[in-house]
Structures are given as structure tokens and as C-alpha cells.
Amino acid sequence: MRVIDRRGGCYEVRELTYGRDYVWRPGRVVVECDCGRRGVFMLSRSVCVCGADHAEVVRRELLAGGLVEEPPWERDYREWLLGGGGRLLRSELCDREEWEEI
């Protein structure tokens, strides 16, 4: 068996009219099996049509990809949370407590 290619999992960002949509694309490994067939395998699908299970190789290759980068919405969330003024916005919990007192 031989590993041909490896792609780590990542988020695909799609711009929509009302904002952004984040779609997770799981990591995948292209393996040439001992039977001669090539296949694209993921953690959820690692068995070749010949019956050989490549789960251990797929797991090892995907973990070798290194650390997962920060999700793309984290930066946008921090900017929103700071509100542009450099101070944190009030939490919704504080608002709820105030409304309960009224």
C-alpha cells in the first residue's frame, strides 16, 4: 500500500447575500492499495473494495497534517464582540437579569 496524497480537513467559506456560510470539508487520503486500486479514504470510510481496511494509515496520515488552524469565524466573532470600540459588549445574561428585575 502506498499513500499518494493527503489533504487535511478545512472549512470552506461561501459568501451569501445575508452573510457567510462555513462548510466543513473532512480530511482525506488518496491511497494505492496492494490490490492496485486507488481510492480516496476518510476516517469514516477506510475500506477498499477488495476488503483491505486502511483505517490505521488514514488516521496516521491525517494526524500527521499538524494542528488545525483557527476556524474562520473566530476573527469575525472577536471583532463583533469588541464592538469596534475596543471594549467588550454586555453579555445577554446581563440583559436577561435586568429584564427579570422589571
Side-chain angles (χ1 to χ4, degrees):
M1 169 194 20
R2 182 172 69 118
V3 175
I4 306 294
D5 191 20
R6 172 186 68 210
R7 305 283 172 160
C10 64
Y11 286 96
E12 181 181 291
V13 182
R14 293 187 281 181
E15 295 291 333
L16 304 172
T17 56
Y18 54 84
R20 293 186 187 107
D21 184 27
Y22 303 99
V23 179
W24 175 250
R25 299 292 180 206
R28 55 201 174 277
V29 178
V30 179
V31 174
E32 184 175 323
C33 186
D34 292 333
C35 71
R37 293 188 176 104
R38 286 187 182 188
V40 178
F41 300 104
M42 298 175 275
L43 288 175
S44 61
R45 194 191 70 151
S46 60
V47 178
C48 181
V49 293
C50 72
D53 188 1
H54 301 299
E56 194 59 40
V57 173
V58 171
R59 188 176 298 111
R60 183 182 68 234
E61 289 296 318
L62 290 177
L63 289 176
L67 297 174
V68 176
E69 63 186 50
E70 177 180 78
W73 61 81
E74 284 293 329
R75 188 187 65 218
D76 294 340
Y77 175 68
R78 278 194 304 274
E79 288 176 11
W80 173 84
L81 190 62
L82 292 174
R87 63 185 195 291
L88 292 176
L89 298 173
R90 295 178 43 170
S91 74
E92 293 178 2
L93 179 61
C94 292
D95 290 339
R96 187 174 347 138
E97 289 172 353
E98 285 181 8
W99 280 106
E100 288 174 356
E101 289 178 12
I102 295 179

